[in-house]
């Protein structure tokens, strides 16, 4: 059974940094697009960043130049380095693994890790 385990969240002051990690198991990790999503209270879950199997990256505008997504296929991990954190970055962050075969989409999710940015 596919498992994604998120870690690395916590409480940080504005301007600080955190590094989130996601460890995957029972998955052919290298062929999946990996991503991080977040959900703030009362808001819909939003895409933060993705990295494809060929390591092409994409970021939501609000985190560009502050966050960096990376992957280690040998270790089956994906990370999100978050710098210059702002209070509006406060949310539960979820790791995602995605691939599609024809019209069928395969999505797997981590359990989420809380990030709180506050002074």
């Amino acid at each position: 059974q596919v498992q994604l385990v998120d870690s690395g969240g916590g409480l940080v002051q504005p301007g600080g940094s955190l590094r989130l990690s996601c460890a995957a198991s029972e998955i052919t990790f290298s062929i999946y697009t990996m991503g991080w999503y977040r959900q703030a209270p009362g808001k819909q879950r939003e895409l933060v960043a993705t990295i494809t199997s060929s390591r092409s990256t994409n970021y939501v505008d609000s985190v560009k130049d502050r966050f960096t997504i990376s992957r280690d296929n040998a270790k089956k991990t994906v990370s999100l380095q978050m710098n210059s954190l702002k209070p509006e970055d406060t949310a539960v962050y979820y790791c995602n693994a995605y691939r599609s075969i024809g019209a069928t989409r395969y999505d797997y999710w981590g359990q989420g890790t809380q990030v709180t940015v506050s002074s």
Side-chain angles (χ1 to χ4, degrees):
Q1 184 158 346
V2 176
Q3 263 198 322
L4 300 179
V5 179
D6 307 330
S7 63
L11 173 64
V12 63
Q13 291 187 341
S17 298
L18 279 175
R19 186 177 180 85
L20 306 183
S21 293
C22 171
S25 60
E26 305 302 327
I27 189 174
T28 307
F29 184 84
S30 62
I31 65 175
Y32 279 77
T33 291
M34 300 301 298
W36 288 95
Y37 289 69
R38 65 186 180 188
Q39 188 166 19
K43 294 188 177 181
Q44 289 191 326
R45 190 174 296 190
E46 68 167 349
L47 174 66
V48 176
T50 59
I51 183 166
T52 67
S53 57
S54 60
R55 302 181 186 275
S56 175
T57 59
N58 182 54
Y59 299 90
V60 67
D61 285 347
S62 60
V63 308
K64 282 180 181 176
D65 300 323
R66 297 190 298 123
F67 290 10
T68 302
I69 189 170
S70 59
R71 66 189 296 160
D72 185 331
N73 288 341
K75 295 182 179 179
K76 295 188 177 182
T77 59
V78 60
S79 298
L80 185 69
Q81 178 65 42
M82 306 186 294
N83 299 328
S84 302
L85 282 161
K86 303 176 181 180
E88 51 263 44
D89 294 319
T90 295
V92 178
Y93 284 70
Y94 298 90
C95 175
N96 171 263
Y98 153 74
R99 69 179 294 211
S100 61
I101 302 175
T104 303
R105 181 183 172 112
Y106 297 87
D107 268 296
Y108 302 101
W109 294 91
Q111 82 284 1
T113 185
Q114 176 71 47
V115 172
T116 303
V117 184
S118 175
S119 55

